[in-house]
Amino acid sequence: MSVEAYIARLAAAVEQALDSAIPVEWDVPGKLREAMMYSLKAGGKRIRPVLVLAAAEAVRGDESAAEAAMPAACAVELVHTYSLIHDDLPAMDDDDFRRGKLTNHKVFGEAMAILAGDALLTHAFHLIAEAALSGRLPADAALAITADLARLAGASGMVGGQAADMLGEQGVTSLDEMRYIHLHKTSDLITFSLTAGGRAGGADAAQIDALAAFGMRIGLAFQIRDDILDVVGDERVLGKKTNSDARRLKVTYPYLIGLDASRAEVERLTREAKEVLLDASLRKPDLLLGIAEYLVSRDR
Amino acid sequence: MSVEAYIARLAAAVEQALDSAIPVEWDVPGKLREAMMYSLKAGGKRIRPVLVLAAAEAVRGDESAAEAAMPAACAVELVHTYSLIHDDLPAMDDDDFRRGKLTNHKVFGEAMAILAGDALLTHAFHLIAEAALSGRLPADAALAITADLARLAGASGMVGGQAADMLGEQGVTSLDEMRYIHLHKTSDLITFSLTAGGRAGGADAAQIDALAAFGMRIGLAFQIRDDILDVVGDERVLGKKTNSDARRLKVTYPYLIGLDASRAEVERLTREAKEVLLDASLRKPDLLLGIAEYLVSRDR
């Protein structure tokens, strides 16, 4: 099976699971539920949940851990979605469109967008705990996944990266600062995806460390690739305007170290990521490596 | 010991635990950490965490479950604090002051206030999972507490209540709608506090049900009492202006059913709460009953 076909198959399974992520029997105000589902089903590429499922399969050697991994796969997509809703708010990046659709607050208003984000974040933790309480995921894995998610999505993780990005709009000057932002704003949730899949698949401590090291590098490479595409990408292929970073005066890798050095950094990170993964004695690392290769060489 | 002294002692222990709730070694952007701690240490009465600790003691019969209960006690205060930060935002209630201090967004800006709220909510789940991973709280209790918190603070809980409140500003007309808002906006986190303390103290299923039933009634009574105080309270004792609900055209219990019927409802709920708790064969229910009595008869 090609990597693209494998990704498409996993993404389709995630898509279906997300439809019932918020229990229909829950007494949720209609508008709030609508706002949550609007952004959750807005056509995301499901990269993070696909990585969760692929990591579980890489560790286990087959698809038998897919049911155990699915709650964390949905959870990371809920967290990613909430972060987009809040990032798009007028007080933050003030975006009217995302993936060609109106942003959440443009449709439902700012108050409902804030609350929809809060509710999606909160619900991510319910999915994981509930999977353990109903016996689909071992308790120790669920607790480790919960702690990882809270750390990597929180003040020292994704939210920390977003805060540094907002604060840095007065001028990011160093590569260290840029790296902190990319690492936490983007890479941390990718790292979470890999370790969560690993934990659901029964990985040992060394394998979890390797998956985290792999995720950190792939996540960083993925973000630098994004910076590069914003400069050299084809608008028709990307489906969005290029040079948006420059127009917003966002400091990026190409801006700080140039295009060639940025490309070299993507290559170095990808090479290191592969090495660390191949050393981890996973039963079936190939598809995971293929996805990584696909993510960092994409042209959109 | 008087109820007031007991509450003060538990609140002091919570205050100390909150100081180190966000690990100093975590690499959090300075401004974000400052914004989180500003609201967390803004002089809250710590009612919810006190209820967590008191419930654990009521079940256990002594203070031996205090260490197991403290993470959930801190967690509920983090969640309560995040909800206040987001509720105060211009897009929501647009408040400049809370407890005589500038609200978070007035000091740190809207973007940082949104992120500080997000980070506090996220960190609440870390506290609980970490307590289990480090052996201070049994795994099954931690998972149940996590699921409870996510349900009672999320789309069908506190956030749902806030959403209904925002949507209802076009006009809450029925007691059912009013009850939904109070139940979820206020009562759900009180209910969580009681069951979380119970779980940390090793309560059985029937005791958890009783603590939830107790919490729901006390929480609702507490909120109706708040509505009443807004009409008849002494501004000098309350430390805030009265009739703010009427000025904001907020529909309340006194508005819908009158002051006398509202007072009767507080009494009925309190009586029922006591009955359900006394039937639960807790080892030491007295202090918990005392706190409940204190909360619903307060004049500020």
Side-chain angles (χ1 to χ4, degrees):
Chain A
M1 184 170 27
S2 74
V3 169
E4 284 84 351
Y6 179 63
I7 293 175
R9 193 158 59 84
L10 296 183
V14 169
E15 212 58 52
Q16 204 181 344
L18 287 175
D19 285 333
S20 54
I22 300 144
V24 283
E25 68 272 20
W26 277 22
D27 191 10
V28 179
K31 273 285 166 209
L32 176 63
R33 186 189 286 269
E34 211 186 308
M36 293 168 76
M37 293 311 290
Y38 174 82
S39 292
L40 194 56
K41 299 291 292 181
K45 282 175 282 186
R46 315 305 186 199
I47 290 166
R48 291 156 194 81
V50 163
L51 285 171
V52 176
L53 298 175
E57 190 171 340
V59 169
R60 191 69 71 94
D62 59 33
E63 296 179 23
S64 61
E67 197 195 348
M70 190 56 92
C74 290
V76 74
E77 193 65 11
L78 263 64
V79 170
H80 176 58
T81 303
Y82 117 77
S83 76
L84 300 181
I85 296 175
H86 281 192
D87 284 3
D88 287 338
L89 287 167
M92 309 270 266
D93 291 347
D94 194 14
D95 277 313
D96 290 355
F97 289 93
R98 178 173 289 276
R99 298 186 196 115
K101 292 181 69 172
L102 284 170
T103 46
N104 199 288
H105 65 273
K106 295 303 286 185
V107 179
F108 299 96
E110 274 185 65
M112 207 48 61
I114 293 167
L115 293 170
D118 293 344
L120 286 166
L121 168 59
T122 308
H123 197 62
F125 292 99
H126 195 268
L127 292 177
I128 299 163
E130 185 55 36
L133 291 170
S134 65
R136 284 172 293 146
L137 179 66
D140 56 346
L143 288 165
I145 289 171
T146 301
D148 285 350
L149 181 57
R151 186 172 47 82
L152 291 166
S156 66
M158 185 185 69
V159 172
Q162 176 67 8
D165 198 14
M166 299 302 301
L167 295 165
E169 288 196 341
Q170 288 92 45
V172 174
T173 48
S174 72
L175 200 57
D176 275 356
E177 211 176 329
M178 184 79 254
R179 199 180 152 86
Y180 180 94
I181 294 169
H182 278 11
L183 208 52
H184 294 300
K185 212 178 146 168
T186 307
S187 194
D188 278 352
L189 271 201
I190 306 267
T191 301
F192 167 77
S193 302
L194 288 153
T195 58
R199 292 186 195 282
D204 62 31
Q207 289 175 324
I208 294 295
D209 287 348
L211 287 165
F214 173 77
M216 191 269 272
R217 287 168 177 77
I218 290 298
L220 201 48
F222 177 78
Q223 182 58 51
I224 300 174
R225 177 83 193 161
D226 213 58
D227 287 356
I228 295 171
L229 282 176
D230 191 68
V231 181
V232 305
D234 184 326
E235 290 192 357
R236 283 165 305 178
V237 178
L238 277 172
K240 62 179 178 185
K241 289 220 178 298
T242 55
N243 287 311
S244 67
D245 291 332
R247 270 181 279 111
R248 285 165 185 241
L249 303 174
K250 282 250 182 204
V251 176
T252 63
Y253 262 73
Y255 177 87
L256 279 179
I257 62 174
L259 269 175
D260 287 346
S262 297
R263 287 197 182 101
E265 184 69 359
V266 170
E267 273 169 38
R268 185 185 67 79
L269 287 163
T270 309
R271 193 175 56 246
E272 281 183 17
K274 284 181 187 171
E275 283 166 13
V276 79
L277 198 74
L278 287 171
D279 281 348
S281 30
L282 301 179
R283 289 201 180 136
K284 197 177 161 189
D286 296 13
L287 286 167
L288 200 48
L289 285 172
I291 296 177
E293 187 68 49
Y294 171 82
L295 288 179
V296 298
S297 62
R298 74 211 154 87
D299 54 7
R300 65 195 171 97
Chain B
M1 186 169 28
S2 74
V3 169
E4 284 84 352
Y6 179 64
I7 293 175
R9 192 157 62 82
L10 297 182
V14 169
E15 213 55 55
Q16 203 181 345
L18 287 174
D19 285 332
S20 54
I22 300 143
V24 284
E25 66 274 18
W26 277 22
D27 191 10
V28 179
K31 272 286 167 208
L32 176 62
R33 187 189 286 268
E34 209 186 309
M36 292 167 78
M37 294 310 290
Y38 174 82
S39 291
L40 194 56
K41 299 290 294 182
K45 281 175 280 185
R46 314 309 186 197
I47 290 166
R48 293 156 192 80
V50 163
L51 285 171
V52 176
L53 298 176
E57 190 172 339
V59 170
R60 191 69 71 93
D62 57 35
E63 295 178 23
S64 61
E67 198 195 347
M70 189 57 90
C74 290
V76 75
E77 193 66 10
L78 264 64
V79 170
H80 176 58
T81 303
Y82 118 76
S83 77
L84 300 181
I85 296 175
H86 282 191
D87 284 4
D88 287 337
L89 287 167
M92 309 270 267
D93 291 347
D94 193 13
D95 276 313
D96 291 355
F97 289 94
R98 178 172 289 277
R99 297 187 196 114
K101 291 181 68 172
L102 283 170
T103 47
N104 199 289
H105 66 274
K106 295 303 285 183
V107 178
F108 298 96
E110 274 186 64
M112 207 48 60
I114 293 168
L115 293 170
D118 293 345
L120 286 166
L121 168 59
T122 308
H123 197 62
F125 292 99
H126 195 270
L127 292 176
I128 298 163
E130 184 54 36
L133 292 170
S134 65
R136 282 172 293 149
L137 179 65
D140 57 345
L143 288 164
I145 289 171
T146 301
D148 285 349
L149 181 56
R151 185 172 48 81
L152 292 166
S156 65
M158 186 185 68
V159 172
Q162 176 66 9
D165 198 14
M166 301 300 301
L167 294 164
E169 289 195 341
Q170 288 94 43
V172 174
T173 48
S174 72
L175 199 58
D176 274 355
E177 212 177 328
M178 185 77 255
R179 199 180 152 86
Y180 180 95
I181 293 169
H182 278 10
L183 209 52
H184 294 299
K185 212 177 144 168
T186 306
S187 194
D188 279 351
L189 271 202
I190 307 266
T191 301
F192 167 77
S193 302
L194 288 153
T195 59
R199 293 187 195 282
D204 62 33
Q207 289 174 325
I208 294 295
D209 287 349
L211 286 165
F214 174 76
M216 192 269 272
R217 286 168 177 78
I218 290 299
L220 201 49
F222 177 77
Q223 182 57 51
I224 301 173
R225 177 82 193 163
D226 213 56
D227 288 358
I228 295 171
L229 282 176
D230 191 68
V231 181
V232 304
D234 184 328
E235 290 190 358
R236 283 164 304 175
V237 178
L238 277 173
K240 63 179 179 186
K241 290 222 177 297
T242 54
N243 287 311
S244 67
D245 291 332
R247 268 182 280 114
R248 287 165 185 239
L249 303 174
K250 283 252 180 201
V251 176
T252 63
Y253 262 74
Y255 177 89
L256 279 179
I257 62 172
L259 270 174
D260 286 347
S262 298
R263 287 198 182 102
E265 184 70 357
V266 170
E267 272 170 38
R268 186 185 66 80
L269 287 164
T270 309
R271 192 175 57 244
E272 281 183 17
K274 284 182 188 172
E275 283 166 13
V276 81
L277 198 74
L278 286 171
D279 282 348
S281 30
L282 302 179
R283 288 200 182 136
K284 198 177 159 190
D286 296 12
L287 287 168
L288 201 49
L289 285 172
I291 296 177
E293 186 68 49
Y294 171 82
L295 288 179
V296 298
S297 62
R298 74 208 153 89
D299 53 8
R300 63 195 172 100

